[in-house]
Amino acid sequence: MTTAVLGLQWGDEGKGKITHLLAKDADMVVRFNGGPNAGHTVIDRGVKFGTHLIPAGAFYPNTTSVLSSGMVIDLKILREEWDMLSQHLGWQPRLLIAENAHIIMPYHRELEELEGSGKHFGTTRRGIAPTYRDKAAKVGIRAGDLLHPDIASQRLKLRLALLNREWPDSQGIQSLDAGVLLEEQLSFAGPLLPFIGDATEAIHQAFDSDLNVMFEGAQGTLLDVDHGSYPFVTSSSTTFAGLGNSIGIPMPRVDRRLGVFKAYMTRVGVGPFPTRVSGELEERLRTIGGEFGVTTGRPRECGWLDLVALRYAIQLNGCTGLAITKLDVLSGFDEISVCRSYRLNGKSIEKFPLAAELLEKCEPEYETVSGWGDPISEVRDSAELPKQVMEFVALIERDVGVPVEIISVGPEPEATMMRK
Ligand code: GDP
Ligand code: IMO
Ligand code: MG
């Protein structure tokens, strides 16, 4: 069985928790997109971690964690994460870093600041867009280049020459030196250099040996560079299609496509969010749900579950099953709202509009369902959940046409119910 775990909203759906839980049976866990813009919370043996680059396979001694070619990697952050996990685990996570994954260089962060995109788009300021841009423009530095410092040095000199022409007035850019930059990257990479190799081949070999391979998505479908509300998106493919394309694997090999979504919605950064609520209600969701970014600490905007967006995300990913998280956060509400359609220019629509300008204008059309009074975070058997919870889940299943296989009622791995 090969499983892909995909976020169906604007990120932070609980992918880290779900992947960590399922990865205990995996031989290989592959992160396929994004970089340290991701923040995945994992509670491992009672200790809470926010991981940015290393997939959840790292928490199991015999599982290989692959940072694949769809990713952009900040070596300083990777090294810190690897050191931190090694210390906690008492073993060194088995890593494989794709030689064709791109490296986030210090000037990529600098560029994001110079261009003001952190402020304008509410990015995580981790140099994500400039690195993917350099990849497409064929002026990027790849992990494999570090194994051949002469090649890396040539590429860096070329890139710096272009940067110097583009930013003649930036002291930060003008003072960059290829030799110093390379030395710094090599020293961050240090013990990780032997892990750089052909990840695509390793994944194919794992398939051929019938090993249990899992894919850990980062960000969410609505942040996809092609299918999200552009330009308020990230710079990689966050969907299932992106997985096959960026790694180079035959899509039919991935038979389980598990979409993860929260029982409500959140968004961090800038961009349209039709079901966002305001005032005390948002504060209540944010406080109970602990809705603050793992990577940047920013408060997340909160709102009701949006089934228009969820149906779109499920369609794009061809989800075979769903995991609903944070149902416990809705305990204590008398009524819960669910958006089943939008009103746009006086008409009711059921399809998620592609253009951010249109999404901005959409008004949610809500259905209201009964809430449940009692807390549910201690429930471990879905048969013991209040009937209103199961009615809420059934409403979602009927609307989207895909079964909810996993119900999560708390951040800990134990607070999870498998329904199959
Ligand atoms: P990811 O980026 O998709 O991995 O999600 P994040 O880790 O950024 O955000 C999810 C947050 O919700 C984390 O703080 C998790 O510990 C927490 N979480 C996950 N599942 C549940 C759940 O079912 N209930 C509650 N209360 N918290 C959860
Ligand atoms: P995980 O994997 C939530 C958002 C940023 C910003 C936009 C573009 O934890 O779900 P970027 O730095 O990628 O250029 O920022 O995307 N964003 C995320 N939001 N969770 C994430 O990852 C995110 N990664 C990026 O806030 O709005
Ligand atoms: Mg997150």
Side-chain angles (χ1 to χ4, degrees):
M1 170 80 76
T2 301
T3 304
V5 177
L6 305 148
L8 297 181
Q9 295 162 328
W10 279 291
D12 304 327
E13 298 89 349
K15 300 174 294 292
K17 170 188 163 163
I18 300 294
T19 319
H20 172 249
L21 192 72
L22 300 180
K24 64 175 181 298
D25 300 319
D27 300 295
M28 181 181 263
V29 181
V30 185
R31 253 286 295 272
F32 66 88
N33 72 298
N37 46 350
H40 295 180
T41 311
V42 165
I43 299 185
D44 186 69
R45 288 170 282 162
V47 185
K48 183 170 160 181
F49 293 94
T51 60
H52 303 287
L53 288 163
I54 300 182
F59 292 91
Y60 305 97
N62 299 318
T63 307
T64 305
S65 292
V66 183
L67 282 74
S68 80
S69 46
M71 289 185 70
V72 290
I73 298 170
D74 183 317
L75 288 168
K76 182 167 186 280
I77 296 177
L78 177 61
R79 179 69 184 282
E80 283 165 4
E81 203 162 300
W82 192 72
D83 286 344
M84 188 244 320
L85 287 176
S86 302
Q87 206 180 0
H88 160 73
L89 296 165
W91 70 77
Q92 295 182 330
R94 288 162 61 149
L95 291 194
L96 174 55
I97 303 166
E99 59 193 354
N100 48 348
H102 280 248
I103 301 297
I104 302 178
M105 301 295 289
Y107 51 80
H108 290 124
R109 282 195 184 213
E110 178 89 22
L111 285 174
E112 216 171 339
E113 295 309 315
L114 286 168
E115 292 165 3
S117 56
K119 199 163 163 223
H120 190 63
F121 296 113
T123 70
T124 58
R125 300 176 184 232
R126 295 290 183 276
I128 304 296
T131 310
Y132 278 112
R133 186 171 66 199
D134 274 7
K135 167 177 169 170
K138 297 162 282 187
V139 292
I141 310 297
R142 309 204 294 181
D145 296 341
L146 299 177
L147 302 177
H148 310 283
D150 47 330
I151 297 179
S153 171
Q154 269 178 22
R155 296 222 161 113
L156 262 175
K157 282 182 183 150
L158 191 71
R159 185 65 189 109
L160 291 189
L162 290 171
L163 278 175
N164 283 334
R165 265 193 271 149
E166 287 163 16
W167 298 95
D169 301 328
S170 162
Q171 187 50 34
I173 294 290
Q174 295 296 324
S175 62
L176 291 170
D177 176 85
V180 173
L181 278 176
L182 185 57
E183 276 308 309
E184 198 180 53
Q185 294 302 308
L186 285 170
S187 86
F188 290 143
L192 308 181
L193 283 170
F195 299 142
I196 298 173
D198 186 343
T200 299
E201 176 62 18
I203 298 167
H204 278 272
Q205 276 177 13
F207 282 152
D208 292 344
S209 311
D210 280 328
L211 297 185
N212 188 343
V213 181
M214 279 190 59
F215 294 91
E216 176 173 335
Q219 289 81 52
T221 300
L222 306 178
L223 288 170
D224 184 275
V225 66
D226 291 299
H227 306 291
S229 39
Y230 190 89
F232 304 105
V233 293
T234 188
S235 304
S236 67
S237 295
T238 62
T239 56
F240 179 58
L243 182 160
N245 187 37
S246 57
I247 308 181
I249 52 154
M251 311 285 282
R253 300 296 303 244
V254 187
D255 29 34
R256 186 180 185 202
R257 297 180 290 279
L258 183 69
V260 185
F261 70 104
K262 272 183 214 186
Y264 53 97
M265 307 287 284
T266 61
R267 174 161 203 164
V268 57
V270 176
F273 180 176
T275 63
R276 184 181 177 190
V277 296
S278 58
E280 271 179 33
L281 184 52
E282 179 173 57
E283 204 46 49
R284 181 170 172 190
L285 286 170
R286 184 181 294 137
T287 307
I288 304 175
E291 297 297 353
F292 296 89
V294 178
T295 300
T296 57
R298 292 177 291 178
R300 297 172 182 154
E301 297 172 351
C302 303
W304 295 118
L305 182 62
D306 182 342
L307 291 177
V308 181
L310 193 65
R311 286 194 299 265
Y312 174 66
I314 289 170
Q315 179 190 46
L316 280 177
N317 289 299
C319 292
T320 57
L322 303 173
I324 186 170
T325 62
K326 307 195 93 161
L327 260 171
D328 53 304
V329 175
L330 296 183
S331 297
F333 282 90
D334 293 336
E335 288 185 329
I336 293 164
S337 298
V338 194
C339 168
R340 299 188 80 162
S341 52
Y342 297 147
R343 182 147 290 269
L344 176 65
N345 299 328
K347 281 198 193 124
S348 183
I349 59 164
E350 295 192 347
K351 195 200 154 296
F352 189 79
L354 212 50
E357 297 73 23
L358 287 184
L359 190 62
E360 190 73 65
K361 288 192 196 151
C362 286
E363 295 286 336
E365 294 183 322
Y366 286 120
E367 184 167 322
T368 305
V369 298
S370 304
W372 52 93
D374 296 333
I376 55 171
S377 50
E378 302 294 324
V379 179
R380 298 291 176 263
D381 177 351
S382 59
E384 287 169 18
L385 284 167
K387 91 174 184 327
Q388 294 91 332
V389 176
M390 294 322 293
E391 281 168 4
F392 181 58
V393 171
L395 179 149
I396 298 168
E397 287 180 316
R398 270 198 311 278
D399 189 286
V400 303
V402 178
V404 172
E405 295 173 356
I406 300 177
I407 294 179
S408 169
V409 292
E412 315 80 16
E414 313 79 71
T416 320
M417 289 160 261
M418 304 290 177
R419 290 179 80 209
K420 260 193 179 171

